Structure formats: structure tokens, C-alpha cells
Amino acid sequence: MEKVRCRIAPSPTGQDLHIGNVYTALINYVFTLQNKGRFIVRIEDTDRARIVAGSEKRILSSLEWFGIKHDEGPDIGGPFSPYRQSERLKLYADHAEILIRKGYAYYCFCTPADLEKMRALRIKEGKPPLYDGRCRKIDARVWRDRIKKEKYVIRLKVPEKGRTVFNDVIRGEISFENRLLDDQVLLKSDGFPTYHLAVVVDDHLMKITHIIRAEEWISSTPKHVLLYGFFGWPLPIIAHGPVLRNPDKSKLSKRKNPVWASWYREKGFLPEAILNYLALMGWSHPDGIDIFSILEFIKKFRLEDLKPVGPAFDLKKLEWLNGEYIRRTPNSKLKSQIWEFYDKLYPADLIDKTVPLIKERIKILSDYRPLCRFFFKEPKEYEIDLSLHKNLLKEIAQLLGNLNNWQADNIGDLMQNLARKLKIKNADFFMILRVAVTGQKITPPLNESMEILGKKVVLSRIKKASL
Ligand code: GLU
């Protein structure tokens, strides 16, 4: 049996790794691990105009953050180096020439203005706006001469009749009418290949056995299938998984959802929770459970069970799941996660003490600061007007000042007794005290928070609020 080799082939044309690509990476990675194969990262950077500086680096660092490890790639090399398409230009040019020689591709000398005119005319005539193939007819003697003097591209000679058919592991047989396929540009006038030529040449030369990618690439696949056939290469196994969608079913887009891996990281989502959530995008656990580890996913997932369409990507559900992961994280680990999330800015021992108070209350790590800010900083403002409660605060300060055993329970008993004595509703009483001590209306449990803050700090804050 041939060794399984899978790949992801991100283009460094966005800020970072797109969450849709994280999904594709996850499926490829898991499938590779199941088959003891190799997982390859190839950077498809041939669209020079769209390249974003720093994108490749961030893509690789995001994969690492998710724990999705590759066996070959631009950063670590491998037997089929280089893994960056811009460093493989000669290969594509050579392969375009092979197709010319075999009669499966041709030189096209049409200018952008010619193409624009042609398109407009075809649309007017009610024809699909494809290239009309006019340069196919140029005689070899003529093009040999013209390529020395003129700008050209190399186009795929799509058969005029018949159908191109392939089998998709997830979707079954998919068939396209050749007359509706464009004579795709394979090599551009600047010598760079288009995606279609480069992806086929590389997948073949890198011995990729399974191409697993999202649905959005289905319409490109017949062109690739033709190319494999023209080169005389065996077709890899092909699977198009679901594309991530907004709730209105449109493809996940920047306008409706955050799409960059770095956004999720900066918000304090946990990588394991994201991967768990993504696993549910096109697959369900046979026991119907929603929360499972990647190891469990590796054990139970089967590529052929992937659904062609998944549920909408729902940020609220992901947040809920992330909260569940936080609750399952051991306190000591959660403490370091929060500490590191805030760039080690806050004293670790204080975070340590507060973690048990907030563990049930936060969904993402960035929920921590708004809840716990007051542990690290004296409040500057109060979320309710305390001016009417100054006498009450003075009385509280006096009572607490006499308390010797500074523990949450004792503080709580003392305060409740006072509220009862003064006939103030518990909720009102504690809201005043809470705001006086923390500045905030929403905090972790107050008595425990006061215990952590310590008697001195609490008294000084209450006194200040009563001035
Ligand atoms: N470069 C393509 C992308 O940006 C790769 C598509 C494929 O997997 O063939 O996702």
C-alpha cells in the first residue's frame, strides 16, 4: 500500500490562517494520523498581487498553536523541497511546455483589452463568458515566432465535447460538461503559474495520495482532472468536505464572522475547544456527544462519514463549548493560561487565588479581566452612585474593622446580620458593598473576593467610597 500523504495548501493572501483552513487542516491531519501517513504544508504564493506580508509566518504559527503538526513544509523542509510555490517556478514552466508539446495546451496572445471585448460580446450573445479559443488555431510555425516577441499566456486546451467526471469520497460521482469549462490560463505572462497548474504539478510531484479540501474547490477540480489525464498521472483520491457557513448559509465571511485564527487566539479561545467545535462542522460523534478530545476524534472519525454540508458556524456555541473546556481544565493549568494570556502582567499568585472564583463564570480567557480587574487595581469609578449610602458604608467599615478572623464566611455572616438589623434587602445591601469595594456591579462572589483582597485593602476602599 502506498503511504498516505495529505496536504494543506494555504495561500498567504490574508492576515493569518483562515478558520476554514484550520478546519481543512484538522481533517487532513487527523486522516493522516489515522493512516500513519505524512502531513504536508505547502504555501501557494503564486498570486503575487494578493500576497500579504507576514501572512505565511502567521499561518505556520497558528498551526503550531492548534497543535496541528506537519511533517514537511517550508519551515522544516522535507524530501520534496521547496514547499513554497514561488520557489518552484521552473517546474511549472517546464510542465506547461510538456502540455504544449503533447497538444493539450496552447499559447494565447490575446491582450486584456481583447479579452474584455470578447467577454462583453459573449455575454451579449447569451453565451457563457469563457475564452472563445481563438488562439487555439494559431499554427505552430506562427506561435514559435510570436512567443519570441510578444507577451503570452499558456492555456489549457479543454476538450470541446464530452464530460469530465471524477469520484468524490464524500459526494460520489461529480460530472462537468467540458463545453462549460474555460480554457484555463495555466502559465501567466509573468512566468508564474496559476493555482490550477501549480496545484496539480505539486500534488503529483509531492506524491499526495488524498486531496481533502473544502467544497469551494469543486468547480476547479474538473480542470485538475483533465490535467492529470493529459500528463498521464494517476488521480489522487479526492474528497470535498463542507465549507464553513454563516447562519444565513453564505460562506463564512469576514463581514459576518471573525475568520482569522489570530482573532480567536486574542479573544482567549482554547485551541482544543476550537478543534472540537470544528470537528462537529461536518461530522457527529456516534454516541451523540458534543465534547470530545482530538484523540477521541482520531479514534472515531471516518473520512467517508463527513457530511457534504455542515451546520452553520455559530460563535455562541463555540463560546459555550470553550466555557466547558475551561471548566474541565485543572486550576493550576487554567491559572498559567490566564497568566500567559495577559502577558504575565498580573501577579501569578493573585491569579491563582481568583481562578476558583471565576472558573464557572468565564467562557473565554478574555472574560477574566472585566470580572477581576479590581483585584489588581483600585476602582477609579463606581458603577452606581454611592453618595446616598455614605453612612451605611461608614458603618460597614467600622464593623469590618473589628473583625479578626478575615475569612469569607465570617465576613458574609457579619454583613448579613447588619443588613437584617438595618432592614435592607440583601441584594441591595451587597450591591452597595460590592460597588464600593470593586467599582463594579458584576464580580465574582463578593465575600470570597474580599477575603482575597485582604482586610487592609477592603477597609481602605470602603472608607474611600464613603468620603
Ligand atoms: N491555495 C488554495 C487555498 O488557498 C488551495 C486549495 C487546495 O487545497 O487545492 O486554499
Side-chain angles (χ1 to χ4, degrees):
M1 260 281 282
E2 218 180 344
K3 200 175 170 75
V4 164
R5 292 176 58 83
C6 292
R7 54 43 167 206
I8 54 160
S11 298
T13 50
Q15 196 179 309
D16 189 0
L17 192 62
H18 191 286
I19 192 81
N21 281 340
V22 179
Y23 178 60
T24 304
L26 170 68
I27 302 297
N28 276 283
Y29 176 61
V30 164
F31 183 77
T32 311
L33 286 177
Q34 288 179 327
N35 291 284
K36 303 194 173 39
R38 283 173 79 80
F39 175 53
I40 289 107
V41 173
R42 182 175 68 232
I43 296 292
E44 300 207 327
D45 58 348
T46 56
D47 193 347
R48 305 309 282 173
R50 291 183 54 224
I51 288 186
V52 172
S55 178
E56 176 186 318
K57 219 171 133 205
R58 289 189 290 273
I59 287 173
L60 294 170
S61 114
S62 289
L63 280 173
E64 194 184 334
W65 182 66
F66 280 108
I68 299 181
K69 294 186 200 73
H70 50 288
D71 303 298
E72 298 167 29
D75 49 346
I76 51 173
F80 301 99
S81 282
Y83 291 89
R84 201 175 282 118
Q85 288 188 326
S86 58
E87 293 165 17
R88 301 168 62 82
L89 298 184
K90 169 123 184 16
L91 277 171
Y92 311 124
D94 290 349
H95 280 84
E97 296 286 334
I98 292 175
L99 293 174
I100 296 260
R101 242 179 290 135
K102 289 182 152 193
Y104 294 127
Y106 61 94
Y107 291 99
C108 169
F109 302 93
C110 293
T111 63
D114 295 336
L115 296 173
E116 202 34 60
K117 243 196 268 162
M118 177 192 312
R119 254 178 74 86
L121 188 69
R122 286 182 68 97
I123 290 172
K124 214 162 117 197
E125 289 170 347
K127 292 183 186 157
L130 308 174
Y131 182 67
D132 68 2
R134 63 180 69 167
C135 287
R136 281 181 177 219
K137 300 171 200 89
I138 300 173
D139 192 76
R141 267 165 310 178
V142 178
W143 62 247
R144 272 202 198 99
D145 193 43
R146 284 181 74 177
I147 56 172
K148 290 184 203 132
K149 297 179 267 190
E150 288 176 51
K151 270 193 157 185
Y152 62 81
V153 300
I154 294 182
R155 285 183 185 271
L156 178 66
K157 204 185 270 178
V158 175
E160 279 160 64
K161 297 209 181 80
R163 306 182 77 87
T164 297
V165 183
F166 63 93
N167 194 55
D168 187 298
V169 175
I170 294 154
R171 291 155 204 271
E173 189 177 285
I174 300 184
S175 153
F176 286 83
E177 268 191 76
N178 291 338
R179 71 179 177 86
L180 297 179
L181 299 178
D182 206 3
D183 276 2
Q184 179 64 50
V185 173
L186 301 175
L187 201 71
K188 295 180 275 188
S189 57
D190 60 2
F192 275 77
T194 57
Y195 157 68
H196 305 279
L197 175 65
V199 80
V200 168
V201 169
D202 285 347
D203 283 341
H204 175 71
L205 295 181
M206 295 181 179
K207 296 196 186 325
I208 299 301
T209 56
H210 294 71
I211 296 176
I212 308 171
R213 60 188 169 198
E215 181 188 350
E216 59 192 305
W217 301 100
I218 292 180
S219 60
S220 302
T221 308
K223 295 171 188 172
H224 305 174
V225 172
L226 285 172
L227 282 168
Y228 278 97
F230 292 162
F231 283 120
W233 295 338
L235 195 63
I237 290 168
I238 296 175
H240 288 96
V243 84
L244 302 188
R245 292 183 190 281
N246 298 308
D248 66 2
K249 302 269 187 317
S250 57
K251 189 185 153 207
L252 199 69
S253 65
K254 277 178 268 183
R255 270 173 295 118
K256 301 200 175 122
N257 258 307
V259 296
W260 304 118
S262 44
W263 184 87
Y264 292 88
R265 191 172 174 174
E266 281 155 22
K267 279 279 163 188
F269 284 88
L270 304 179
E272 314 89 72
I274 300 177
L275 293 183
N276 183 162
Y277 184 62
L278 289 177
L280 295 166
M281 287 289 95
W283 183 81
S284 327
H285 191 284
D287 302 337
I289 53 172
D290 272 352
I291 306 181
F292 47 83
S293 67
I294 190 159
L295 290 177
E296 174 72 4
F297 188 44
I298 294 167
K299 227 189 272 168
K300 298 276 164 64
F301 173 73
R302 284 170 51 215
L303 184 61
E304 51 278 24
D305 291 342
L306 210 55
K307 297 180 200 93
V309 184
F313 184 89
D314 179 352
L315 202 54
K316 284 270 158 297
K317 175 130 196 238
L318 172 57
E319 272 178 8
W320 165 80
L321 191 67
N322 204 74
E324 293 301 310
Y325 266 78
I326 285 183
R327 278 177 263 310
R328 288 163 195 226
T329 306
N331 285 4
S332 58
K333 184 166 172 206
L334 185 57
K335 179 198 98 180
S336 356
Q337 281 171 329
I338 293 175
W339 191 53
E340 274 160 35
F341 180 75
Y342 288 107
D343 297 328
K344 308 182 179 172
L345 204 69
Y346 302 122
D349 61 326
L350 207 42
I351 293 187
D352 206 6
K353 287 186 195 148
T354 54
V355 155
L357 302 192
I358 50 82
K359 199 172 176 182
E360 297 293 325
R361 287 156 201 262
I362 64 172
K363 292 202 187 94
I364 48 182
L365 299 180
S366 62
D367 287 341
Y368 179 82
R369 179 153 47 198
L371 266 183
C372 292
R373 200 186 289 120
F374 69 90
F375 283 111
F376 310 101
K377 254 194 191 154
E378 198 170 312
K380 286 215 179 67
E381 280 160 28
Y382 301 103
E383 287 182 2
I384 59 172
D385 180 8
L386 293 176
S387 58
L388 293 173
H389 309 297
K390 290 187 174 170
N391 287 337
L392 172 63
L393 289 171
K394 286 196 178 108
E395 200 169 339
I396 292 176
Q398 203 181 20
L399 210 57
L400 287 176
N402 293 330
L403 180 66
N404 288 327
N405 204 345
W406 192 259
Q407 274 171 355
D409 286 350
N410 299 336
I411 301 171
D413 289 345
L414 197 63
M415 292 297 98
Q416 250 170 10
N417 286 339
L418 180 62
R420 208 173 303 130
K421 194 182 104 192
L422 300 176
K423 297 198 167 55
I424 305 177
K425 268 200 271 164
N426 250 344
D428 296 338
F429 179 93
F430 280 99
M431 183 54 82
I432 294 164
L433 180 55
R434 182 186 312 278
V435 173
V437 175
T438 69
Q440 304 167 204
K441 286 203 284 191
I442 297 173
T443 69
L446 184 59
N447 300 330
E448 283 77 2
S449 299
M450 292 205 287
E451 179 182 325
I452 293 172
L453 280 169
K455 185 169 172 181
K456 209 168 131 215
V457 171
V458 169
L459 286 183
S460 110
R461 287 188 184 184
I462 296 175
K463 279 180 192 153
K464 200 170 151 202
S466 70
L467 290 179

